[in-house]
Amino acid sequence: MADVAALAGVSSQTVSRVSMGLDNVRPATRDKVLAAMEQLGYAPNSAARALRYGTFGTIGMIAHRLARTGESRTVEAVVEAARVEGYTVTLVDLESPTSDDMTAAVARLGHQAIDGLVIVRAETAGPETLSLPPGLPVVVSDSRFVGHHPAVGADQTAGARSAVEHLLGLGHRTVHHVSGPEGSGPAQMRIDAWRAALEAAGREVPAVVRGDWSAASGYEAGLRLARDPGVTAVFCANDETATGLLHALHEAGRSVPEDISVVGFDDIYLAEQLWPPLTTVAQDFREIGRRLVDLLLQQVRDDEVLTDVHQVVPTRLVVRQSTSTPRSG
């Protein structure tokens, strides 16, 4: 580090800030330091950093099917929040979120010198079955882990309720639901809120149409629902499901929103570019990521015990052109 500092004409502290990825370095200075590092073949030593600062400067993160937009936006938010704090992120993307697969992923990350772990949407893995190393700081984007690990998540209940109440307020007699997969915590919370909102309004509760978060499952559900002339409003568990549903309704000759109103959940970037632009429940992914990193670093830096902490991030209904009053008659 001293050699790099001498070659770049800066202090060792500046070299340290650059190697940690901190923002409080002028771009021109950063470029000089990086050029000196390359010329001398210098790479920061994580073990030495841990001895000096007590941390490795790395957060482990486990996600499930990163190709899904909700997961990718949460991961993006965590990476950005970690970067601001001078931490890098090591990511493992699981195909299956079972407790065994999750435990194996934790073991892999444990060999890579991490200071703590962020679990994005544990899905079918539960707090009773997930095995984590003792003493490892953990934060989970899943309210089921409250009492075991600190948790941060969007207000699933209020979000789903706002979608249903919006559709009922437009005059629809009931609202059909294309859900997420069985065993998923967020999917079940949205189902429960959908059902409770209909029951509170004294409306018929249709059978759940089971999906798996994908556009393909939304398409299959849309073909099925399009055959029922009594369907006038559908709440989809996420925007990707709603995208497939819109496709199927168009193929079946059912107009949106004239024949069937559609609401999604997430407010992905694509939602306002669909036709018609999708009414949806927006999650604040950036705030969720920031809070996940904040709670994790409170444990890493201050040894705080945050087992019972559960932070709920508000959702927001975004009304676009995919919803309207039902046809008369």
Side-chain angles (χ1 to χ4, degrees):
M1 184 179 289
D3 292 338
V4 172
L7 181 59
V10 300
S11 67
S12 294
Q13 290 86 348
T14 299
V15 175
S16 177
R17 287 195 292 270
V18 172
S19 67
M20 291 169 64
L22 299 180
D23 289 334
N24 56 342
V25 181
R26 288 181 296 179
T29 302
R30 183 185 305 277
D31 291 343
K32 286 197 300 182
V33 172
L34 292 174
M37 287 180 175
E38 183 176 1
Q39 183 175 335
L40 295 175
Y42 170 82
N45 186 300
S46 61
R49 174 193 166 110
L51 286 171
R52 182 170 183 180
Y53 299 106
T55 68
F56 293 102
T58 301
I59 293 171
M61 180 160 50
I62 298 175
H64 171 227
R65 294 187 180 177
L66 190 55
R68 293 191 311 220
T69 307
E71 274 70 9
S72 65
R73 290 191 64 186
T74 303
V75 168
E76 177 185 38
V78 169
V79 170
E80 172 61 20
R83 184 190 65 79
V84 170
E85 295 289 342
Y87 281 74
T88 58
V89 174
T90 298
L91 171 68
V92 174
D93 182 26
L94 298 180
E95 179 65 26
S96 170
T98 64
S99 294
D100 288 344
D101 288 344
M102 195 82 71
T103 299
V106 172
R108 291 202 301 273
L109 285 170
H111 294 305
Q112 300 183 36
I114 60 172
D115 295 307
L117 177 66
V118 176
I119 299 177
V120 178
R121 192 182 280 185
E123 291 283 7
T124 57
E128 297 81 10
T129 57
L130 182 59
S131 177
L132 297 172
L136 177 69
V138 175
V139 65
V140 186
S141 182
D142 190 327
S143 62
R144 294 174 301 158
F145 283 74
V146 174
H148 300 267
H149 303 288
V152 179
D155 193 338
Q156 310 282 349
T157 299
R161 182 173 60 243
S162 69
V164 176
E165 290 177 348
H166 167 67
L167 291 165
L168 295 180
L170 289 171
H172 296 276
R173 293 182 179 179
T174 191
V175 178
H176 289 72
H177 182 47
V178 183
S179 74
E182 189 171 0
S184 164
Q188 189 59 50
M189 292 175 71
R190 295 173 199 183
I191 290 172
D192 292 343
W194 159 78
R195 180 178 290 113
L198 290 177
E199 290 175 345
R203 306 302 177 87
E204 174 192 355
V205 180
V208 172
V209 180
R210 184 66 68 175
D212 62 8
W213 303 123
S214 71
S217 71
Y219 177 80
E220 292 300 321
L223 293 178
R224 172 180 167 182
L225 292 170
R227 293 193 290 267
D228 183 348
V231 174
T232 67
V234 181
F235 166 47
C236 294
N238 70 343
D239 290 347
E240 291 178 54
T241 299
T243 299
L245 185 92
L246 290 174
H247 180 190
L249 294 178
H250 175 76
E251 283 192 355
R254 303 294 299 275
S255 298
V256 176
E258 292 82 4
D259 295 324
I260 299 179
S261 288
V262 178
V263 178
F265 201 108
D266 284 342
D267 196 26
I268 64 176
Y269 298 126
L270 186 63
E272 63 180 331
Q273 303 303 326
L274 296 171
W275 188 255
L278 182 65
T279 295
T280 185
V281 177
Q283 297 196 66
D284 191 343
F285 293 104
R286 174 169 290 189
E287 179 63 12
I288 291 170
R290 187 194 68 77
R291 294 196 192 188
L292 285 167
V293 171
D294 180 64
L295 286 178
L296 187 67
L297 295 186
Q298 286 183 47
Q299 299 172 75
V300 172
R301 293 168 173 169
D302 305 324
D303 292 325
E304 290 193 36
V305 178
L306 304 173
T307 304
D308 294 322
V309 172
H310 180 209
Q311 296 187 0
V312 178
V313 179
T315 54
R316 177 174 55 91
L317 181 69
V318 180
V319 178
R320 299 191 177 102
Q321 287 99 306
S322 67
T323 53
S324 70
T325 57
R327 287 187 190 273
S328 59

